[in-house]
Amino acid sequence: MLLSCSDLLCGEDSGIFSGVQSTECSSDLESPSFADESIAGFIEDERHFVPGVDYLARFQSHSLDASAREESVAWILKVQAYYNFQPLTAYLSVNYLDRFLYSHRLPLTRGRPMQLLSVACLSLAAKMEEPLVPCLSDLQVEGAKYMFEPKIIRRMELLVLGVLDWRLRSITPFSFIAFFACKLDSTGTHTGFLVSRSTDIILSNIQQASFSEYWPSSIAAAAVISAANEIPNMTLINLEHAQTWCDGLSKEKIMSCYRLMHEHVFDSSPRTPRKIFPQLRVAIRARLRSNDSSTSSSSSSSSYKRRKLNNCFRVDDDKGNTE
């Protein structure tokens, strides 16, 4: 039996997902055709989808374990790569985890409770964004230290949903990067590269708790500028110019995030710069796919994982009833 994503969570209130396609608070990679006023609306509302201002201070005071969070995020990224989930799925998972940790205290900040929270957050994010979602037992791959029964994970999902007030359709940096990329490159020559590279940069920094003090718009602006620095004719971009992209942007926050991004992402992980090729003007779709469907069948391991997904896309309760 196959179910829609909304059916996989809870059938008690089918209306809870009735507005997930609304552009008022969409977490997809938004089209640059949105007016400045729409992006400004995202900036105004983004404060509701981030942990509180003292979240980072809790790690600094050791009331929360930064290393445990880092391990959880690393595991989420491994599973995202294993199943070829969208970058947005991984980011949402971490967003749910951070917002939950800020509002609800776990009995332990590492070990089984933290692993269970990570699985539940990834499962919820996958159900929000992925067309095919592995069953809960198969989601626990890539070095998961503990294995949990589906009914235990579902209980944790409901706890997370309650703590987040069922607000899963979050505003993220991916709500801004296409718009900012077009502001930076009005000709559209390198827009595709800017969006793709910015996505890589954003995923590269989410393991660091220090980025949690920046709102999505600042992270997106800093990432787009960092990506532009890899394009020869854009290396002299003025950071202060980013503030003019839309009302509500903070020059100080963007510059601070940009410096932190280079400290944690670039300086600690030296790599060979990508070769830049001119591109035709691109039309940014609502979502960026991590792989092309025309070439996905070329990898035997990818085909195996896809078969595994199809076999597992069933009601978890069927498994739970046999336990």
Side-chain angles (χ1 to χ4, degrees):
M1 179 179 179
L2 299 181
L3 295 179
S4 67
C5 293
S6 59
D7 292 331
L8 289 174
L9 287 176
C10 182
E12 296 177 358
D13 187 359
S14 59
I16 200 70
F17 289 96
S18 60
V20 296
Q21 297 300 326
S22 172
T23 58
E24 179 181 355
C25 188
S26 174
S27 57
D28 291 339
L29 292 171
E30 303 292 356
S31 168
S33 63
F34 276 129
D36 288 5
E37 291 78 9
S38 298
I39 298 299
F42 288 159
I43 292 176
E44 182 178 353
D45 292 338
E46 64 183 339
R47 69 189 67 193
H48 303 302
F49 300 94
V50 295
V53 293
D54 61 330
Y55 182 57
L56 180 59
R58 298 184 187 183
F59 290 105
Q60 295 170 341
S61 65
H62 304 290
S63 61
L64 288 175
D65 191 335
S67 63
R69 178 193 178 277
E70 187 173 337
E71 290 176 4
S72 294
V73 176
W75 177 80
I76 288 172
L77 291 173
K78 288 180 181 178
V79 179
Q80 181 251 342
Y82 182 87
Y83 282 115
N84 288 322
F85 287 161
Q86 300 176 74
L88 178 57
T89 300
Y91 194 95
L92 281 178
S93 304
V94 179
N95 176 262
Y96 300 162
L97 184 144
D98 284 334
R99 289 161 59 194
F100 180 92
L101 289 177
Y102 178 77
S103 301
H104 187 90
R105 184 174 295 275
L106 287 176
L108 294 172
T109 56
R110 90 169 32 247
R112 290 178 61 86
M114 194 68 170
Q115 177 71 50
L116 178 58
L117 174 61
S118 302
V119 175
C121 289
L122 178 57
S123 174
L124 289 172
K127 290 169 184 175
M128 289 295 293
E129 299 298 332
E130 299 300 326
L132 290 176
V133 182
C135 56
L136 292 174
S137 58
D138 282 349
L139 193 64
Q140 303 174 74
V141 294
E142 290 298 293
K145 295 181 179 179
Y146 307 95
M147 296 294 292
F148 302 98
E149 295 179 357
K151 61 182 179 181
I152 301 299
I153 300 174
R154 287 194 294 273
R155 289 174 188 167
M156 190 65 186
E157 287 180 337
L158 289 174
L159 177 59
V160 172
L161 288 168
V163 171
L164 301 187
D165 196 25
W166 288 77
R167 300 170 71 175
L168 300 188
R169 180 62 72 178
S170 306
I171 294 175
T172 75
F174 300 129
S175 304
F176 301 96
I177 59 174
F179 180 85
F180 290 168
C182 288
K183 283 287 186 178
L184 189 62
D185 179 28
S186 59
T187 67
T189 303
H190 300 297
T191 304
F193 172 82
L194 290 173
V195 171
S196 177
R197 181 63 186 135
S198 297
T199 299
D200 293 342
I201 293 170
I202 289 168
L203 287 188
S204 297
N205 67 46
I206 58 175
Q207 276 188 260
Q208 301 295 328
S210 52
F211 283 95
S212 63
E213 70 172 321
Y214 298 100
W215 288 0
S217 58
S218 296
I219 294 174
V224 169
I225 295 172
S226 296
N229 286 338
E230 300 181 23
I231 302 176
N233 62 343
M234 290 188 177
T235 55
L236 299 179
I237 291 175
N238 190 340
L239 278 170
E240 297 185 3
H241 178 67
Q243 188 179 16
T244 67
W245 292 346
C246 185
D247 292 339
L249 291 175
S250 168
K251 176 183 66 177
E252 292 74 18
K253 284 292 185 181
I254 293 173
M255 294 178 68
S256 176
C257 184
Y258 176 85
R259 288 192 293 266
L260 186 65
M261 204 168 276
H262 278 254
E263 177 184 346
H264 285 288
V265 178
F266 294 99
D267 294 345
S268 61
S269 302
R271 62 180 187 84
T272 303
R274 294 185 180 186
K275 187 174 182 180
I276 310 300
F277 295 95
Q279 302 177 16
L280 296 176
R281 186 175 185 88
V282 297
I284 305 299
R285 303 293 298 174
R287 301 185 180 201
L288 290 181
R289 296 299 177 184
S290 59
N291 61 326
D292 193 310
S293 59
S294 64
T295 60
S296 60
S297 61
S298 62
S299 170
S300 60
S301 61
S302 177
S303 298
Y304 170 76
K305 293 169 188 174
R306 181 59 62 184
R307 289 197 302 272
K308 198 172 186 180
L309 282 175
N310 291 330
N311 291 335
C312 292
F313 191 58
R314 302 176 184 278
V315 185
D316 284 319
D317 285 335
D318 293 344
K319 181 178 291 186
N321 290 337
T322 64
E323 294 174 350

